[in-house]
Amino acid sequence: MNVLSCSINTLIKEGLYEISGVEVGQHFYWQIGGFQVHAQVLITSWVVIAILLGSAALVVRNPQTIPTDGQNFFEFVLEFIRDVSQTQIGEEYGPWVPFIGTLFLFIFVSNWSGALLPWKIIQLPQGELAAPTNDINTTVALALLTSVAYFYAGLSKKGLGYFSKYIQPTPILLPINILEDFTKPLSLSFRLFGNILADELVVVVLVSLVPLVVPIPVMFLGLFTSGIQALIFATLAAAYIGESMEGHH
């Protein structure tokens, strides 16, 4: 009986380890045109986009004057995103709500999908399915989008006079001011990627070392921190856009 119990526990632990394992440096590639892309990131990104579009379609299909529970939830999310945008950008926040909201929702759903959906059950020839934000290319792309929006906001508000900020308060600070604009997307990218990867690695180590009782609360904590990372990214993106429109550091 003890041998049987030990064998069952070993199988459970090995199965959990396989599900929670992280394959580093391995990718499933697709050749599209002359480019080689990470197929697993495209697949999981399409799933996340489908979830977001499906949810939006369900909400707008039959809006009610007196909102139902589902409509209440989505209106609350919209108000939350508007508050974040207004707080960071100011009075001209309106046109930027869709952009900030898209960043927040995509990162939030991506992070939660990596924690809740059993991606690793689906076997690929190489690599594994995981949250889109678990790939450095995704976080860099999101950071570069923020950088483009940052410059667009400043140029649309001030024209070429926007670049005068680089020599304020003195031209001596020109290299530092330019470097600052390059480090903003870099900081956004590595902050998001590093925290998501670190959370997965912590779960892998705990599952391999201790019983399941300990990793489960850590996984729930990971859900909380994943949401916080989405909020931080969206808040900083809105702050950078607001800063470029106001023209101060």
Side-chain angles (χ1 to χ4, degrees):
M1 188 67 179
N2 290 335
V3 174
L4 180 60
S5 177
C6 182
S7 299
I8 292 173
N9 289 333
T10 302
L11 287 172
I12 292 174
K13 192 170 183 179
E14 288 178 353
L16 288 169
Y17 183 78
E18 288 295 325
I19 291 175
S20 63
V22 175
E23 294 185 31
V24 180
Q26 299 184 22
H27 299 285
F28 177 42
Y29 293 104
W30 280 346
Q31 200 73 26
I32 300 179
F35 300 95
Q36 197 175 50
V37 298
H38 293 177
Q40 74 271 21
V41 178
L42 287 180
I43 294 170
T44 51
S45 295
W46 291 338
V47 172
V48 170
I49 292 170
I51 292 172
L52 292 173
L53 291 178
S55 301
L58 288 175
V59 172
V60 302
R61 184 180 58 179
N62 187 25
Q64 302 293 326
T65 306
I66 301 176
T68 58
D69 292 339
Q71 188 175 332
N72 264 328
F73 173 75
F74 282 97
E75 288 183 2
F76 169 77
V77 172
L78 177 60
E79 284 298 320
F80 175 76
I81 294 170
R82 290 180 62 187
D83 287 343
V84 170
S85 302
Q86 185 175 17
T87 302
Q88 300 300 325
I89 297 175
E91 295 180 357
E92 301 179 26
Y93 74 96
W96 294 101
V97 171
F99 178 74
I100 301 301
T102 300
L103 286 178
F104 173 76
L105 291 174
F106 180 80
I107 295 172
F108 185 90
V109 176
S110 293
N111 293 349
W112 273 48
S113 71
L116 296 177
L117 299 181
W119 293 115
K120 296 175 180 65
I121 293 177
I122 303 173
Q123 297 295 319
L124 297 177
Q126 286 182 324
E128 63 182 11
L129 294 177
T133 45
N134 197 31
D135 191 293
I136 187 67
N137 297 288
T138 304
T139 60
V140 167
L142 293 172
L144 289 176
L145 279 175
T146 303
S147 188
V148 170
Y150 171 87
F151 284 108
Y152 173 78
L155 289 170
S156 62
K157 179 74 179 292
K158 302 179 179 180
L160 294 177
Y162 166 76
F163 294 106
S164 64
K165 73 166 192 169
Y166 290 110
I167 55 174
Q168 294 176 357
T170 170
I172 297 175
L173 295 178
L174 175 64
I176 296 176
N177 290 334
I178 293 175
L179 183 63
E180 180 186 5
D181 275 349
F182 277 100
T183 56
K184 282 176 180 176
L186 191 67
S187 171
L188 282 173
S189 174
F190 280 99
R191 179 186 287 112
L192 178 60
F193 173 73
N195 281 282
I196 299 303
L197 183 61
D199 180 63
E200 290 200 7
L201 291 175
V202 167
V203 173
V204 170
V205 172
L206 287 176
V207 167
S208 62
L209 295 178
V210 298
L212 185 60
V213 177
V214 176
I216 284 181
V218 175
M219 291 177 183
F220 283 114
L221 179 63
L223 292 176
F224 174 74
T225 57
S226 295
I228 294 298
Q229 286 304 316
L231 176 60
I232 290 173
F233 195 103
T235 302
L236 288 176
Y240 292 159
I241 292 170
E243 177 185 295
S244 69
M245 295 173 70
E246 292 174 7
H248 63 77
H249 287 272

